[in-house]
Amino acid sequence: MSSTAGSVGTASDTAPPLTPTNTSGDAAPPSADDTNNPSSTTQQPSTPTGITATSTEDTNTPADSFLFASESVTESHPDKLCDTISDAIVDACLTLDPSSRVACETVCKTGVVIIFGEITTSASINYEQVIRDAVRDAGYDDPAKGLDYKTCNVIVALEEQSPDIAQSVDSTKVEDMGAGDSSVVFGYACEETPEFMPMSHSLATKLSARLAAVRKDGTLDWIRPDGKTQVTMEYVMNNDGVPTPKRVHSIIISAQHAEEVSNDKISADLLEHVVKPVVPEKYLDDKTIYHMNPSGRFVIGGPHSDAGLTGRKPIVDSYGGWGSYGGGTLSGKDATKVDRSGAYAARWIAKSLVAAGYCHRCCVQLSYAIGLAQPISVHVDTYGTCTNKNGQTEQSLAKLVETKFDLRPGCIVKELDLRRPIMRKTAAYGHFGREEEEFKWEKVKDI
């Protein structure tokens, strides 16, 4: 695997910023560029114009700084395809029956998509058509890509929600609805970007979105659907003890590609059409390291290369490794599941606290018990950055949150309007840090 580093041309200065903490989550899933190709004769990528080859990584990080990496994947990565299908099923149910209860998992592999889970709804849904439409939208329209929406095998294995669970959630008023499961969720916010997200995560997410965009608009006709990005930022601690982005240490992009394209062209095109339009020039320097398709070959991708499964990209979905992550995934669930609605509320709280100036960054934890409406606990960790605004201390912020936010699941659903069919839009490029109107948990509450 070759390492490439070097000088960079102009870049727009509009991409958003970010920050870190301890992470909690499962081990990372297989890399998107793991094509399981046993060939040992594959030519390694050579160095395109404007990039200087080097055989060693930059290890000269100053003592007062640290490195932190975040990754993202395109909407057509096999795991993201499964998230998208699961959320498309949720939306199809909510469109016809806003009271639908949905817990839908998806798995995909070469030529096949399977959905399974529990759905209780009055809606009559053509699940097969919903699945094929999502596969088509992800760009899988040819058997040569490992999946073709027109001919792939579709298996539907759904049952109704357990009546034991249903009776613990049901209520005459939505506000009194019990939690659909016991759960612990987290929300995070910081001052690194205008959307109060960590910069390493923000840049990785924007790079993966750009990678998909240049495929879909034809800018790079050699790109195929699957792809993955990774950004390592160098941070320094400011006088308030807040991690502050200093520079981009390295960028990794793995882009599935056509057979005939050269590694030189891949590297040059990704730098020019993906990196430069996204990463602000001020964060790039002559020490920034670039790995463009470091495996040397990524022709076989998508479900043909790696099986996909709903919920296997929780760090991509949330904060890029900053803050913490709870025990449940987000996609494939209606909002009675506090894995989803509670996580949205926790982000809403964290962003509102930072935006209001109570702290420079924070992580909010909420816990719930199945069938109970009130949360079991509320915790706020500002990492020592509490500003004592209005006399509020680190210890008193949790009580402030409880007085300003009604955290009963039914009230979260009502306040954030989570019975709308908006879930598919969250499935790719993050559930947080989005400015679209549908993402009401991103609207700062005046506290």
Side-chain angles (χ1 to χ4, degrees):
M1 191 178 292
S2 66
S3 168
T4 55
S7 57
V8 203
T10 59
S12 75
D13 200 7
T14 58
L18 278 4
T19 125
T21 94
N22 293 332
T23 66
S24 129
D26 296 331
S31 168
D33 61 352
D34 175 13
T35 61
N36 300 316
N37 189 338
S39 171
S40 59
T41 59
T42 301
Q43 179 184 0
Q44 290 297 307
S46 53
T47 307
T49 304
I51 298 182
T52 305
T54 176
S55 59
T56 60
E57 303 294 335
D58 173 20
T59 57
N60 299 317
T61 305
D64 63 344
S65 66
F66 64 93
L67 302 180
F68 195 91
S70 298
E71 68 176 8
S72 184
V73 295
T74 67
E75 63 212 59
S76 305
H77 180 284
D79 292 331
K80 272 292 136 208
L81 172 61
C82 290
D83 286 342
T84 299
I85 292 171
S86 291
D87 274 341
I89 297 293
V90 175
D91 280 358
C93 293
L94 293 177
T95 297
L96 298 176
D97 177 10
S99 298
S100 296
R101 302 277 175 79
V102 184
C104 181
E105 314 295 339
T106 303
V107 63
C108 66
K109 187 54 185 162
T110 309
V112 63
V113 177
I114 305 170
I115 64 167
F116 51 99
E118 300 76 42
I119 297 180
T120 301
T121 181
S122 63
S124 178
I125 307 295
N126 183 342
Y127 294 111
E128 181 178 344
Q129 191 60 52
V130 173
I131 293 166
R132 293 190 187 280
D133 288 348
V135 173
R136 177 201 61 208
D137 294 346
Y140 290 108
D141 53 8
D142 189 322
K145 297 178 182 178
L147 199 62
D148 182 353
Y149 76 95
K150 301 182 295 295
T151 61
C152 66
N153 189 20
V154 173
I155 299 173
V156 177
L158 297 171
E159 299 177 2
E160 289 196 344
Q161 183 183 52
S162 161
D164 290 350
I165 296 175
Q167 62 85 28
S168 72
V169 177
D170 291 337
S171 64
T172 54
K173 294 171 57 181
V174 66
E175 293 88 346
D176 297 327
M177 178 179 70
D181 199 358
S182 296
S183 183
V184 176
V185 297
F186 293 89
Y188 181 79
C190 61
E191 296 174 327
E192 294 178 45
T193 66
E195 63 272 25
F196 297 93
M197 291 288 283
M199 181 170 283
S200 60
H201 174 66
S202 180
L203 292 182
T205 301
K206 288 172 185 285
L207 286 172
S208 63
R210 177 66 182 169
L211 192 59
V214 296
R215 170 182 64 85
K216 292 188 285 188
D217 68 13
T219 299
L220 299 180
D221 60 5
W222 53 262
I223 286 188
R224 298 298 179 258
D226 198 358
K228 191 171 191 176
T229 62
Q230 183 176 304
V231 174
T232 301
M233 294 290 302
E234 182 179 337
Y235 285 85
V236 295
M237 300 297 287
N238 69 15
N239 293 334
D240 293 321
V242 179
T244 304
K246 180 180 179 183
R247 57 181 289 271
V248 172
H249 168 274
S250 56
I251 295 173
I252 303 171
I253 300 179
S254 293
Q256 186 186 6
H257 59 85
E259 177 80 45
E260 63 276 6
V261 67
S262 70
N263 289 320
D264 280 352
K265 181 169 177 57
I266 289 172
S267 295
D269 280 355
L270 291 178
L271 181 65
E272 184 65 29
H273 297 288
V274 178
V275 174
K276 289 183 179 181
V278 168
V279 182
E281 185 178 8
K282 66 182 180 180
Y283 292 114
L284 300 171
D285 56 34
D286 58 3
K287 293 183 180 180
T288 299
I289 299 166
Y290 301 91
H291 294 292
M292 305 301 188
N293 275 20
S295 68
R297 179 179 168 85
F298 189 8
V299 174
I300 302 171
H304 186 31
S305 172
D306 296 292
L309 183 66
T310 299
R312 232 170 27 184
K313 288 289 179 285
I315 303 305
V316 170
D317 285 340
S318 52
Y319 308 102
W322 297 87
S324 293
Y325 186 81
T329 189
L330 300 172
S331 289
K333 300 173 180 177
D334 74 274
T336 64
K337 282 74 172 173
V338 286
D339 284 339
R340 184 168 216 155
S341 55
Y344 293 170
R347 163 62 178 175
W348 187 31
I349 295 165
K351 184 174 182 179
S352 297
L353 287 172
V354 174
Y358 286 100
C359 51
H360 297 293
R361 66 182 184 122
C362 74
C363 183
V364 174
Q365 184 201 62
L366 308 175
S367 70
Y368 291 89
I370 187 169
L372 302 184
Q374 292 291 348
I376 300 301
S377 64
V378 177
H379 175 69
V380 178
D381 183 0
T382 72
Y383 309 99
T385 70
C386 181
T387 62
N388 297 316
K389 178 180 176 180
N390 296 336
Q392 295 291 334
T393 65
E394 177 108 13
Q395 292 70 31
S396 67
L397 284 178
K399 185 57 66 176
L400 175 68
V401 166
E402 292 181 89
T403 61
K404 297 294 184 178
F405 295 85
D406 192 330
L407 296 174
R408 291 176 293 170
C411 293
I412 295 171
V413 169
K414 190 173 181 180
E415 186 79 15
L416 299 180
D417 202 4
L418 295 178
R419 286 182 166 173
R420 295 167 296 153
I422 61 168
M423 303 308 185
R424 180 174 173 175
K425 200 167 189 177
T426 69
Y429 311 119
H431 292 246
F432 311 112
R434 307 276 290 270
E435 299 303 319
E436 294 95 322
E437 180 59 34
E438 296 92 334
F439 292 64
K440 288 194 172 183
W441 53 94
E442 292 295 321
K443 312 302 180 189
V444 172
K445 183 171 184 175
D446 184 10
I447 52 175

